[in-house]
């Protein structure tokens, strides 16, 4: 068989093998995204089910709306605070769990409990914990002399977003801890021992030996938790529903309220496309990092 014909046959065979997953991907991902993109260019609601094409008017109104800009800022603050908190808690837990001590195996199992807990359950638990009168958070802080009275952490505009962020950091840090623990144990102990023999202090060993060895895993984990945090919904909906006002509203909960409470499907689709665009940027960085570290071939 001529070489050119063999190559064409091999190419057709590859395309035939790729056709089913590409078709499935198109049905499950591409079509819904294109449908939302079209809906974002229309005026559509429950009382006006026939979409009316309005072009980019929805986008102009969205970015001209102070409430939407406040939600975008909340989403940025929410993502940064939660991701940083999960990094600190996850790294601390990974370093502690890397030590061998009595009960370490049980502790490793217990650390994963927040991660496997359903988001609705975690939200309800933390809502009770942060209750201004019955919750133990105020009792503990009052006993330490850090607060006076009974502050309503979830009911104040200045604290509601951060109160939910505490719950999100608690629920999400076990995943980071598991990733960092694996990376920590992957750094050869001989390198740390050599640094200690050269007179390096523990924090110098961690900074100059351990962290560089963990860097690929840290970058991937940070990017992954950023995508998940930006797109999170359940904790905010259960604990505050975005209130008071829009003080704890993020993009995902704002999309839900616009679509199913205000039944403004065109505007909700517009906000959805903004969210898809942001998450696509994060995902591209994530995939590039995975390829760079050998996670993708």
């Amino acid at each position: 068989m001529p070489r050119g014909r063999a190559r064409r046959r091999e190419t057709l065979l590859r395309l035939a093998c790729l056709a089913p997953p590409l078709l499935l991907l198109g049905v499950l991902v591409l079509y819904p995204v294109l449908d939302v993109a079209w809906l974002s260019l229309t005026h559509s609601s429950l009382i006006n089910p026939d979409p009316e094409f309005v072009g980019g008017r929805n986008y102009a109104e969205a970015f001209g709306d102070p409430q939407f800009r406040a939600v975008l800022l909340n989403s940025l603050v929410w993502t940064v605070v939660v991701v940083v908190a999960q990094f600190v808690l996850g790294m601390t837990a990974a370093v502690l769990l890397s030590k061998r001590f009595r009960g370490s195996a049980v502790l490793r199992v217990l650390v994963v409990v927040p991660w496997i807990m359903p988001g609705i359950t975690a939200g309800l638990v933390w809502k009770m914990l942060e209750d201004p009168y019955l919750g133990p958070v105020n009792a503990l802080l009052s006993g330490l002399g850090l607060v006076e009275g009974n502050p309503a952490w979830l009911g104040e505009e200045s604290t509601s977003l951060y109160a939910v962020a505490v719950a999100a950091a608690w629920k999400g840090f076990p995943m980071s801890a598991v990733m960092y623990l694996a990376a920590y144990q992957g750094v050869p102990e001989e390198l740390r021992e050599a640094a200690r023999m050269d007179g390096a202090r523990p924090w110098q060993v961690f900074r100059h030996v351990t962290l560089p060895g963990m860097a690929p895993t840290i970058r991937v984990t940070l990017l992954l938790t950023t995508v998940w945090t930006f797109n999170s919904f359940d904790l905010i909906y259960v604990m505050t529903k975005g209130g008071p006002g829009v003080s704890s509203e993020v993009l995902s909960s704002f999309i839900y309220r616009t679509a199913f409470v205000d039944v403004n499907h065109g505007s909700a689709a517009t906000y959805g496309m903004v969210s898809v665009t942001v998450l696509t940027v994060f995902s591209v960085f994530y995939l590039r990092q995975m390829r760079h570290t050998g996670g993708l071939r």
Side-chain angles (χ1 to χ4, degrees):
M1 182 181 295
R3 181 175 299 178
R5 183 178 298 179
R7 289 181 177 177
R8 287 195 296 270
R9 184 175 180 179
E10 183 180 355
T11 301
L12 291 175
L13 183 60
R14 289 181 177 180
L15 291 176
C17 294
L18 289 174
L22 289 177
L23 180 61
L24 184 63
L25 184 66
V27 172
L28 297 180
V29 178
L30 185 59
Y31 173 75
V33 170
L34 293 177
D35 187 52
V36 172
W38 160 252
L39 193 61
S40 70
L41 302 175
T42 67
H43 175 67
S44 176
S45 65
L46 190 63
I47 60 177
N48 183 27
D50 296 326
E52 174 189 353
F53 182 77
V54 295
R57 191 174 71 186
N58 287 338
Y59 290 92
E61 292 178 354
F63 287 101
D65 183 6
Q67 189 177 71
F68 179 68
R69 294 200 299 269
V71 170
L72 283 179
L73 180 59
N74 285 348
S75 301
L76 176 62
V77 173
W78 159 265
T79 303
V80 171
V81 170
V82 174
V83 169
V84 171
Q86 287 183 3
F87 170 76
V88 174
L89 292 174
M91 184 64 70
T92 303
V95 173
L96 293 177
L97 293 175
S98 67
K99 310 299 181 182
R100 291 293 180 179
F101 55 89
R102 189 172 183 178
S104 60
V106 176
L107 186 58
R108 290 185 181 188
V109 174
L110 293 177
V111 164
V112 185
V113 170
W115 174 252
I116 64 178
M117 183 180 295
I120 294 177
T121 304
L124 292 174
V125 168
W126 274 94
K127 191 173 183 179
M128 290 187 291
L129 291 175
E130 295 177 347
D131 185 274
Y133 299 102
L134 303 177
V137 171
N138 274 352
L140 176 62
L141 295 178
S142 297
L144 295 175
L146 299 177
V147 299
E148 296 181 1
N150 298 292
W153 303 106
L154 296 174
E156 298 289 339
E157 292 188 357
S158 58
T159 59
S160 59
L161 185 66
Y162 301 100
V164 183
V166 170
W170 172 83
K171 187 183 185 318
F173 90 90
M175 192 280 294
S176 298
V178 171
M179 298 284 286
Y180 296 151
L181 177 60
Y184 185 92
Q185 293 177 333
V187 178
E189 186 61 31
E190 293 80 4
L191 296 179
R192 286 192 279 258
E193 188 61 31
R196 295 189 193 100
M197 293 180 64
D198 288 340
R201 297 181 179 180
W203 67 270
Q204 293 175 320
V205 174
F206 183 77
R207 178 181 176 183
H208 297 290
V209 178
T210 304
L211 278 182
M214 297 174 62
T217 300
I218 291 174
R219 287 194 294 265
V220 170
T221 304
L222 286 177
L223 288 170
L224 189 58
T225 53
T226 298
V227 172
W228 286 347
T229 301
F230 187 86
N231 204 32
S232 60
F233 167 78
D234 47 4
L235 285 175
I236 289 177
Y237 182 77
V238 170
M239 296 180 70
T240 64
K241 289 186 171 60
V246 294
S247 61
S248 62
E249 193 93 82
V250 295
L251 201 52
S252 57
S253 61
F254 192 60
I255 293 170
Y256 173 85
R257 181 160 65 85
T258 304
F260 298 106
V261 178
D262 300 337
V263 291
N264 189 340
H265 300 156
S267 295
T270 301
Y271 305 147
M273 288 306 301
V274 173
S275 179
V276 167
T277 301
V278 175
L279 290 176
T280 299
V281 173
F282 288 149
S283 298
V284 168
F285 279 119
Y286 171 69
L287 292 174
R288 289 184 61 184
Q289 183 60 34
M290 287 290 288
R291 186 179 298 275
H292 177 70
T293 57
L296 294 176
R297 297 292 183 184

